[in-house]
Amino acid sequence: MEITELTKEDIKTILRTNQYIIKNINFQNNSINGSTIKNKIKYFFKIMSSERCKQEIKGYLSIKEEYPVPKLVEYIEYTDIGILIYEYVDAIKNNQGLLHDFILNCEENYKYNLRVVNNIFQYYEKSLKKICKVNSFPMEEFYKKRINTRLLKWYKDWEINEYKIIINGTIVINLKEIIRTLKNYFEKVKMYDAFLSQGDPNTVNIGIKPIFMDLTTAGYNYIGAEIAAFIWSELIADAYFCPKYHAKSYKDHEKILHIYDNYKPNLKYSINRDKKTIQIDGNLKISKIRKEILNEYLKIFIKNNIVVGDELKYYIVMRILCIFNIREMEEIDTIYSLFCVGMFLKLEGKEKNILSNMELMLKDYSEDVKIENGKSV
């Protein structure tokens, strides 16, 4: 049975057989989750293919001694479907408890508690004490393994590949060249500096308790891959693209669904199909709070002498192009995605360390979002 074939009644029956009673349920693209009760104790459940469940169990076992994670209570297998039963995290409530919720609250108040984010980031700093060399890592699922399944499949025959894209009059990119560069980079066999990490650091997977959730790609991951995922999620994706195009992932944290339009890009653009050019002018739309939090995050790596070169740009661009098919977006969002590609490709490293230049890029090429009572001001 496929995940997509499961109904709410199917899930109720499976869980009831194991003495669990469903309280609520949320159907997402690749998984189903919700809360359940057994012997008057509340639990969180997650349903995926048995293969992905076993992958998550492996990730859980790899980091549970080093990172605060919900305790895995039970694994139930039903044909080729798996159900993971975790302890319920009471600290996470309606529009509360996630790093995502914390950032939204800080944006409304124009300030944030540095201690809260550093309580989260301390686990990265501890993990950086144990760096090892690897030739593959769990997070490759989001990068190398998406070259054929998403990057080429979605964009190989796109007419925009032949266009010259001019950003703010000075940055010129060509998507066809970018795709070729990404393909060549990710196809090469290489060794990576890896550290133990949660592996999918979007702001919905991190609680401010602190606690780290969704461990399918947890383990020893390439440091640059982890940083790229956090940068894209924290700065832009979890504020705008994800709530707009994957609203289901914000179950019980729907506040963003009412305000993500505040992060809508303010761009001027023109498309000349005869000359095959796209001209885009504007800035990244990012709140001051998000930039400050990112700078605190990057300080952890810079302080620990972590050097990430130009390849960081490739990992960020893969996140931009291969989470959602930008061809299927509203036109302004397609243009904004291309704009983001160009802006991040512009990044240059200082003394070969690209992390040190991120703050300057955001300062010079981003527009602060200010929100009050749920509206931009």
Side-chain angles (χ1 to χ4, degrees), residues 144-204:
K144 183 176 182 178
K145 293 181 180 179
R146 287 185 174 179
I147 292 294
N148 291 319
T149 61
R150 296 196 181 189
L151 185 72
L152 297 179
K153 181 180 179 180
W154 289 351
Y155 306 115
K156 187 177 180 180
D157 62 349
W158 195 16
E159 62 173 341
I160 300 301
N161 287 348
E162 306 300 328
Y163 282 50
K164 181 166 69 172
I165 303 169
I166 306 163
I167 297 171
N168 289 339
T170 58
I171 304 170
V172 180
I173 62 172
N174 174 267
L175 197 59
K176 186 176 183 179
E177 292 178 5
I178 292 168
I179 291 171
R180 182 166 57 244
T181 298
L182 293 172
K183 184 174 182 293
N184 290 340
Y185 173 79
F186 285 103
E187 282 183 346
K188 289 179 182 177
V189 177
K190 54 183 77 68
M191 297 298 292
Y192 305 92
D193 286 331
F195 77 136
L196 198 60
S197 74
Q198 177 265 354
D200 188 9
N202 67 63
T203 61
V204 179

Side-chain angles (χ1 to χ4, degrees), residues 343-360:
M343 295 304 291
F344 283 103
L345 284 177
K346 178 181 169 45
L347 273 174
E348 294 179 356
K350 181 180 179 183
E351 298 178 352
K352 295 185 178 180
N353 192 359
I354 204 167
L355 302 181
S356 60
N357 206 33
M358 181 69 70
E359 182 176 3
L360 181 62

Side-chain angles (χ1 to χ4, degrees), residues 4-229:
T4 53
E5 296 173 350
L6 283 175
T7 66
K8 186 173 182 178
E9 290 305 313
D10 292 330
I11 298 165
K12 279 184 177 180
T13 300
I14 297 168
L15 286 173
R16 193 183 301 119
T17 302
N18 291 272
Q19 289 80 53
Y20 289 97
I21 300 171
I22 286 182
K23 294 299 292 181
N24 63 61
I25 190 166
N26 180 33
F27 288 83
Q28 298 190 8
N29 289 349
N30 299 311
S31 68
I32 302 167
N33 58 54
S35 62
T36 185
I37 288 179
K38 182 176 183 178
N39 297 329
K40 298 183 180 181
I41 300 174
K42 193 173 183 180
Y43 298 97
F44 173 81
F45 71 86
K46 185 174 182 180
I47 303 176
M48 301 183 290
S49 68
S50 57
E51 180 182 353
R52 286 193 67 78
C53 282
K54 290 170 184 175
Q55 189 177 337
E56 175 146 334
I57 292 170
K58 182 179 178 181
Y60 167 81
L61 293 173
S62 72
I63 75 164
K64 72 183 183 73
E65 301 300 329
E66 303 293 334
Y67 282 77
V69 297
K71 182 180 178 181
L72 179 60
V73 176
E74 187 176 358
Y75 172 58
I76 301 166
E77 196 158 19
Y78 178 80
T79 63
D80 55 353
I81 292 166
I83 304 176
L84 299 166
I85 307 291
Y86 285 100
E87 67 177 357
Y88 194 85
V89 182
D90 289 323
I92 298 174
K93 302 174 183 178
N94 188 39
N95 292 312
Q96 296 179 49
L98 300 179
L99 179 58
H100 165 80
D101 304 314
F102 173 76
I103 293 172
L104 292 182
N105 183 57
C106 291
E107 286 175 327
E108 287 192 323
N109 295 298
Y110 307 127
K111 62 181 180 180
Y112 74 98
N113 186 335
L114 186 62
R115 180 181 58 82
V116 172
V117 293
N118 284 336
N119 278 346
I120 296 169
F121 297 157
Q122 67 172 313
Y123 292 96
Y124 298 118
E125 185 157 25
K126 289 177 184 176
S127 186
L128 287 170
K129 307 301 181 187
K130 301 176 184 177
I131 294 174
C132 65
K133 291 283 186 180
V134 299
N135 59 12
S136 64
F137 54 93
M139 285 183 77
E140 283 186 322
E141 177 177 324
F142 302 134
Y143 300 105
K144 183 176 182 178
K145 293 181 180 179
R146 287 185 174 179
I147 292 294
N148 291 319
T149 61
R150 296 196 181 189
L151 185 72
L152 297 179
K153 181 180 179 180
W154 289 351
Y155 306 115
K156 187 177 180 180
D157 62 349
W158 195 16
E159 62 173 341
I160 300 301
N161 287 348
E162 306 300 328
Y163 282 50
K164 181 166 69 172
I165 303 169
I166 306 163
I167 297 171
N168 289 339
T170 58
I171 304 170
V172 180
I173 62 172
N174 174 267
L175 197 59
K176 186 176 183 179
E177 292 178 5
I178 292 168
I179 291 171
R180 182 166 57 244
T181 298
L182 293 172
K183 184 174 182 293
N184 290 340
Y185 173 79
F186 285 103
E187 282 183 346
K188 289 179 182 177
V189 177
K190 54 183 77 68
M191 297 298 292
Y192 305 92
D193 286 331
F195 77 136
L196 198 60
S197 74
Q198 177 265 354
D200 188 9
N202 67 63
T203 61
V204 179
N205 286 342
I206 301 171
I208 62 171
K209 186 178 179 179
I211 196 158
F212 296 79
M213 300 160 288
D214 199 342
L215 310 175
T216 309
T217 49
Y220 274 92
N221 283 298
Y222 168 47
I223 297 170
E226 178 87 13
I227 293 172

Side-chain angles (χ1 to χ4, degrees), residues 143 201-203 225-242 284 286 290 294 297 312 315-324 326 329 333 336-341 343-344 358:
Y143 300 105
N202 67 63
T203 61
E226 178 87 13
I227 293 172
F230 186 82
I231 287 172
W232 181 241
S233 165
E234 194 264 343
L235 283 185
I236 297 175
D238 286 341
Y240 181 66
F241 286 113
C242 291
L284 298 167
I286 308 168
R290 289 178 187 271
L294 179 65
Y297 172 79
L312 180 69
Y315 286 90
I316 295 174
V317 171
M318 282 295 291
R319 299 298 283 178
I320 297 170
L321 296 176
C322 295
I323 294 177
F324 303 111
I326 71 169
M329 290 179 171
D333 296 334
Y336 190 32
S337 297
L338 293 172
F339 180 83
C340 290
V341 168
M343 295 304 291
F344 283 103
M358 181 69 70

